Amino acid sequence: MNRTVTVGAAQMGPIQLADSRSEVVERLISLLRSGAEAGCDLVVFPELTLTTFFPRWWVDDLSEADHFYETEMPSDETRPLFDEARRLGVGFHLGYAELTEDGHRYNTALLVERDGTVVGQYRKVHLPGHEENEPWRAFQHLERYYFEPGEGFEVHAAFGGVVGMAICNDRRWPETYRVLGLKGCELALIGYNTPIHYAPDPDQDRLQGFHNGLVLQSGAYQNGMWVVGVAKAGREEGCDLLGETSIIAPSGEVRAMATTVEDELVVAEADLDLCANFKETLFDFGRYRRPEVYELITGQRGAQVPDHVRTGLADPKATGGDLP
Ligand code: CDT
């Protein structure tokens, strides 16, 4: 059986505050149609695709931001995307802000199959930034104010393989890929909004592209999976967002990468059988992993220098001594 999925990574250029949902949906449909012309089975859109990245602003009352959230999916405004995707026979992945009926707020992604069936929903686990108003920043990153964390990583039977989702900051954490990998993930879909400027340590600004490639490529290789990283890019409300949307093979090699910071579709043929070349050799988890020595990873959150090491550091004589 041929298990090649033609994947379109649909980078979005900036979405300004004044852009309406319908205007954004028109842009999505245009990218979707380009995907259909390129033979895509699946088109992947970024994190918070439908709005500007609103966590860059503080509001005193969260309800002032309600208009950024979706209370139903599809809604009247997003239905044309769902209808067109089904008509074209192209599946899609869409990130958006979700407000549930009982008032919970999540940074969410949805996966829809070629026949329009909703395959699964994912709510972002790792929420970066801060909870409080920090007006000293050029712009804020208030995801921890606007969203609650999701409950975990899941995989789905879709597009002939095992498909998982993660969102933006999740991609920087090896645990994300490893949990997906332990569930047999062959294709991980990850949308992002990554500001180039990182206020707590601006020395990292020049490294944004490097770090993006580093985490996407190592996540793919170390878990033998395809990884699709899709940006919302460009200058959005005065804030520069990283582009470099890319499709990474299980070897860790970049198979396609965007060259602009605008709406741009890049396409690659993802042969899911390639995953086995890595999952059944160097990264044969069942054969080589040693979970019994990794228990700190799930049992402890922050780094803790063991007592005997801390004591040794405090007492210089103790570090130069004989082994006990
Ligand atoms: N959207 C998102 O998660 N962005 C983060 C920015 C981190 S700086 C607070 C990222 O990891 O790219």
Side-chain angles (χ1 to χ4, degrees):
M1 184 182 71
N2 176 8
R3 293 206 309 135
T4 298
V5 186
T6 304
V7 181
Q11 177 171 290
M12 295 288 292
I15 298 175
Q16 310 303 346
L17 198 52
D19 297 343
S20 71
R21 284 284 199 294
S22 312
E23 285 166 337
V24 174
V25 168
E26 273 309 307
R27 284 166 61 186
L28 300 180
I29 289 174
S30 165
L31 285 161
L32 193 74
R33 288 183 180 144
S34 304
E37 277 165 30
C40 290
D41 300 295
L42 167 65
V43 169
V44 183
F45 296 112
E47 175 192 36
L48 299 177
T49 308
L50 297 169
T51 62
T52 198
F53 190 78
F54 60 90
R56 70 169 67 91
W57 295 295
W58 173 260
V59 289
D60 286 328
D61 188 325
L62 273 182
S63 65
E64 292 169 48
D66 280 358
H67 58 286
F68 290 120
Y69 294 79
E70 307 301 311
T71 52
E72 54 179 347
M73 192 58 83
S75 60
D76 288 348
E77 285 152 319
T78 53
R79 194 178 307 280
L81 173 70
F82 286 72
D83 290 347
E84 185 64 358
R86 199 175 51 247
R87 190 186 74 77
L88 294 167
V90 177
F92 67 95
H93 163 280
L94 181 75
Y96 61 98
E98 177 194 6
L99 176 55
T100 66
E101 244 172 68
D102 53 352
H104 295 281
R105 295 164 194 271
Y106 300 101
N107 188 339
T108 298
L110 199 70
L111 181 61
V112 179
E113 254 289 6
R114 290 157 283 198
D115 63 358
T117 313
V118 173
V119 175
Q121 187 196 46
Y122 166 72
R123 292 168 172 162
K124 186 172 182 175
V125 165
H126 298 100
L127 296 175
H130 49 109
E131 301 74 1
E132 308 289 340
N133 190 9
E134 295 189 4
W136 60 269
R137 293 172 182 252
F139 52 86
Q140 312 216 17
H141 199 108
L142 287 155
E143 284 194 63
R144 299 174 71 81
Y145 178 58
Y146 281 107
F147 303 116
E148 294 172 45
E151 279 170 9
F153 300 101
E154 261 320 324
V155 293
H156 309 276
F159 302 92
V162 183
V163 183
M165 292 180 272
I167 298 180
C168 194
N169 190 259
D170 289 329
R171 79 194 189 287
R172 301 188 193 271
W173 299 92
E175 292 87 346
T176 297
Y177 305 92
R178 185 47 52 92
V179 171
L180 288 174
L182 283 168
K183 294 187 177 195
C185 182
E186 296 174 305
L187 176 61
L189 312 176
I190 311 179
Y192 58 89
N193 284 250
T194 293
I196 301 285
H197 178 56
Y198 181 59
D201 178 16
D203 283 350
Q204 294 181 33
D205 295 3
R206 68 181 180 85
L207 299 169
Q208 290 296 352
F210 169 66
H211 287 158
N212 183 54
L214 190 66
V215 294
L216 294 176
Q217 290 178 253
S218 53
Y221 168 61
Q222 292 170 340
N223 297 279
M225 61 173 78
W226 287 86
V227 172
V228 183
V230 185
K232 174 136 69 60
R235 175 155 283 218
E236 193 178 85
E237 296 295 338
C239 170
D240 285 314
L241 300 174
L242 181 72
E244 305 195 16
T245 288
S246 43
I247 302 176
I248 320 286
S251 60
E253 291 167 289
V254 177
R255 286 293 173 85
M257 192 192 264
T259 55
T260 71
V261 286
E262 292 157 17
D263 290 9
E264 179 181 350
L265 183 81
V266 296
V267 179
E269 309 246 304
D271 176 1
L272 301 182
D273 287 334
L274 257 187
C275 299
N277 295 16
F278 297 86
K279 287 186 191 293
E280 293 174 8
T281 58
L282 204 61
F283 293 108
D284 180 344
F285 290 174
R287 183 168 186 195
Y288 298 120
R289 286 186 75 252
R290 299 284 313 285
E292 64 278 20
V293 302
Y294 309 149
E295 61 189 26
L296 279 189
I297 288 175
T298 54
Q300 182 178 311
R301 184 186 288 196
Q304 239 174 278
V305 180
D307 279 348
H308 67 282
V309 176
R310 203 151 23 89
T311 314
L313 287 173
D315 175 3
K317 285 195 297 298
T319 57
D322 296 332
L323 290 172

